[in-house]
Amino acid sequence: MNFDFSQDEKMIRDQVSKFLDQQSDTKVMRSAVDGDTRYSADVWKGLVDMGLTGTAIPAAYGGVGVGYPALCLIAEQLGAHLTPTPFSSSVYLATEAIIGFGTEAQKETWLPKLANGEIIGTIAIVETVEEVTETSIQASITGDTLTGRKLIVPDGGIADFAVVIAKSPGTMANSSLSLCIADLQHESVTRTPIETIDPSKNSTTIDFQQTPIEILGDQVDGWSAVRRIYDRAAILFAFEQIGGAQSALDMAVEYAKERFAFGRPIGSFQGLKHMMADMYVALKLAESNCYYAAWALATESEELPLAAATARVSATQAFQLCSRDNIQVHGGMGFTWEFDCHLYYRRSNYLTLQLGGLATWEDKLVSSLPDAA
Amino acid sequence: MDFSDTKEEAVFRTEVKNWIGKEAPTYLFKSLSASGFGSTRTGEYDPFEEAKKWQKKKADAGWACIQWPKEFGGRGAGPMDGVIWSQEEGIYSKLSGTFIIGQGMCAPTMMAYATPEQNQRYIPKIASGEEVWCQLFSEPASGSDLAGLKTRAEKDGDEWVINGQKIWTSGAHISDYGILITRTDSEVPKHRGLTMFFLDMKSAGVDIRPIKQANGDSGFNEVYFDNVRIPDAQRLGEVGGGWQVSLTTLMNERLAIGGSIATGFPEIKALVDDLTIAGGRAIDNPAVRSKLADWYAKSAGLKNTSARALTALSKGEVPGPENSIGKLVAGGMMQDIAKFGLDLQGLGGAIVDPAIADGAARLQAMLLRSPAVRIEGGTDQILRNIIAERVLGLPEELRVDKGIAFNKIPSSNS
Ligand SMILES: Cc1cc2nc3c(=O)[nH]c(=O)nc-3n(C[C@H](O)[C@H](O)[C@H](O)COP(=O)(O)OP(=O)(O)OC[C@H]3O[C@@H](n4cnc5c(N)ncnc54)[C@H](O)[C@@H]3O)c2cc1C
């Protein structure tokens, strides 16, 4: 057994961290939240130039192919810096959908362009303000076109194409849902920015009106494919969450050492100390579960669904707790627009919902437990 | 990153499996399986006798305390082999509770501070379970504030004379030896006036009185010292250096308790798998699923955290205070799990008779024993202080006793 990342993987992490320290302090997310931009083109370009978009894409398709553990550590850094780029949508979701389910021809067409950052992808699932189910999807495919509305698509404002789930009556033996690839630049597509708790996620409503599409893969059951894509992406999102949790905790600890009240640093009050100790504990548990999940992802382990749900549940808890109590440690300052506390709070709560909320993942976790646990 | 056994590890595991398959006390398997946290069951057999028998058998074949050096009764094995051993020992490790203090805390302290001759004499018998040890630290007026202890040691020739009282001493009534922390100087600040010894629990003047615990058992004791004489040769560390020595013990205590800690998850999972509530299976109820997911995530988090600590250990890194989280998480979790499990059963959940209660009353035993986990070996509050100060680097609490001579510090009794 060896429960640690390799030296090479850690080196990649350190490079990303150095780049983001210079390029992506929270000012970048702040300008998104302030409404000046919806994402950072500069940071995105930097990530592309470093080859990070091709991290898990096999070399045969133009990627670097260094594997998933490295991608996990990159995700952790992006989360720590609250980086407002379409990285998660394009790399953990759209790219993975094509790697996992695309035909050979589709891989050859799309993956090299995703690897070199020429195009950006996202995934379009949600249609209503209810948690999605297999029977709730209304968007539908007729022949080679797609019609329907996706209510909230993360990074929909910048993506060039989307992997969309839609009904496809009659085409499939065991499911009526398929995945398709839709060009978002097409004239039949209308994109409307939608305000959310985290503006830096660049969310849009997307209307498809007889939009030309290609079906993803060959006879792919759309619903179970999304579940599989989500299971894998949940691990990468969990790494973003622990990255964010660590930053929020660090911010709280720093402030508590410097701010004085009643003639002493507020960090010497036990009420705050114990709160921060609990933040640390939640983070440690989540971090260790993420490590395990990284291994499951890298080895295509049978335990992946359980490991993913476990990492996701504890990382969600950790980031929510750390971002919430970071505000508390800061007192009134914590509730100002000017301080960064709300940026972590916004991001943590958006990330919680992005692949289906906590209850969804708790349910998945329990469904994945072996019978005699 | 790799969770599979290496080739050497796989060979070792097979060797362990074979030995345990042949030698384990299989006649206890059923009772031990029905044992839970706070209720070690051995059926018609005496638990202490069975524990000693299994320990001795392991020791004779070289399977006791396998990470200790060979000359001390161990096997010189690495930390990974230690984990493999305990995974394979499985349910039979429930017999070893009696020895945790001696093997997990007293022996490492002795190895760090006793003479080679003393270690030669005592450590192998701790490994084999032939001699049981206890830890005489806490006193009526000083538990969390351990350095505020009052038991006096006064030098008389080549001996020390001990007077005072210890309390909450687990297993003192079945112990052969103990490590004892005393005050040798009241004129200096409290941490500087302490000295550590080990002593024979049969020494004249030692009076052991069992205390009945809240859960009805009697695992801990009051221990009185009335002019008990200890040779100076049994001093551990410097005169006045007892605090340093105690830190060795306490650090190992957290490792010993934190490493293989029970969380209650298997017990609650077993309950909700079978139980019916409101006409449906309990495990299909969303409220139950939510709790279950939270507890699973926590117990997996602890398991994976100790796997990380082990990896660090096997690379030669020293385990730090972050290991305090094990007991902190598990204690409260067991209390919550027991309470929730009983609640699902309604009034019937109040029954403690193992013949009637679900799961041989393991959750009921857990309910009554788990409050102690949050107290023994550092309370939840003390552990949070440690994490806050030593891991996160937050400022120390205000301490009104700082730098003051021990005999000038205000206390509950003065
Ligand atoms: C089952 C069991 C077995 C034990 N076995 C042994 C043993 O074998 N040997 C041994 O030496 N001892 C043993 N102990 C004793 C144990 O270590 C002490 O009980 C423990 O350290 C707490 O000390 P105390 O009981 O004096 O409580 P106190 O220290 O009086 O604590 C009372 C309350 O005050 C809180 N408190 C105290 N100081 C602070 C602070 N600075 N900040 C915030 N809160 C604080 C505590 O958290 C607690 O809630 C055992 C205890 C139990 C329950």
Side-chain angles (χ1 to χ4, degrees), chain A residues 270 274, chain B residues 101 135-145 167-171 213 220 253 369 372 375-382 385 397:
Chain A
Q270 238 179 39
H274 288 190
Chain B
I101 293 178
Q135 176 192 354
L136 299 141
F137 282 19
S138 303
E139 296 187 6
S142 58
S144 303
D145 183 13
I167 194 169
W168 321 127
T169 318
S170 299
Q213 296 168 189
F220 56 30
E253 174 163 30
R369 178 60 175 79
I375 298 167
E376 59 195 332
T379 67
D380 280 7
Q381 289 70 36
I382 294 298
N385 283 351
E397 266 180 83

Side-chain angles (χ1 to χ4, degrees), chain A residues 101-339:
Chain A
F101 298 97
T103 61
E104 190 52 37
Q106 285 168 334
K107 289 185 198 173
E108 282 169 10
T109 310
W110 296 97
L111 294 179
K113 291 185 205 159
L114 282 161
N116 69 17
E118 203 179 311
I119 53 168
I120 295 170
T122 185
I123 196 165
I125 310 287
V126 176
E127 301 182 357
T128 66
V129 291
E130 284 163 9
E131 200 66 272
V132 189
T133 66
E134 191 168 2
T135 51
S136 71
I137 303 287
Q138 293 303 321
S140 69
I141 297 168
T142 329
D144 288 341
T145 67
L146 166 70
T147 299
R149 158 177 284 211
K150 293 293 172 182
L151 179 64
I152 165 169
V153 180
D155 301 303
I158 180 66
D160 301 295
F161 77 94
V163 172
V164 186
I165 189 164
K167 287 197 286 193
S168 55
T171 57
M172 220 58 56
N174 49 357
S175 160
S176 60
L177 293 176
S178 291
L179 294 181
C180 62
I181 301 177
D183 175 4
L184 297 179
Q185 318 278 14
H186 194 266
E187 58 193 14
S188 62
V189 176
T190 314
R191 295 194 246 187
T192 321
I194 185 165
E195 292 311 319
T196 70
I197 52 176
D198 181 357
S200 71
K201 292 296 281 189
N202 203 356
S203 313
T204 47
T205 297
I206 305 185
D207 285 292
F208 300 96
Q209 199 46 251
Q210 294 191 323
T211 304
I213 48 104
E214 58 178 297
I215 297 286
L216 179 69
D218 182 23
Q219 299 282 310
V220 173
D221 168 355
W223 184 251
S224 62
V226 167
R227 289 186 59 121
R228 240 184 85 78
I229 295 165
Y230 271 18
D231 277 351
R232 297 167 66 83
I235 297 168
L236 298 159
F237 275 90
F239 270 91
E240 283 206 3
Q241 290 171 305
I242 58 168
Q246 180 75 61
S247 297
L249 173 58
D250 291 346
M251 189 180 169
V253 168
E254 283 320 303
Y255 190 74
K257 286 180 189 167
E258 280 158 21
R259 168 83 179 167
F260 274 64
F262 299 91
R264 50 197 264 216
I266 57 168
S268 68
F269 294 117
Q270 238 179 39
L272 291 196
K273 276 178 136 153
H274 288 190
M275 199 161 87
M276 286 182 268
D278 287 341
M279 289 156 77
Y280 173 83
V281 170
L283 173 57
K284 269 296 136 188
L285 296 176
E287 204 177 82
S288 300
N289 286 335
C290 281
Y291 278 36
Y292 187 75
W295 169 80
L297 183 63
T299 56
E300 302 285 339
S301 159
E302 271 174 28
E303 286 179 54
L304 190 140
L306 177 59
T310 304
R312 172 74 172 159
V313 165
S314 52
T316 296
Q317 290 174 339
F319 196 12
Q320 287 197 317
L321 181 74
C322 290
S323 66
R324 182 194 85 170
D325 286 345
N326 181 36
I327 297 180
Q328 190 64 21
V329 168
H330 281 77
M333 280 299 179
F335 193 61
T336 60
W337 190 262
E338 187 190 339
F339 266 59

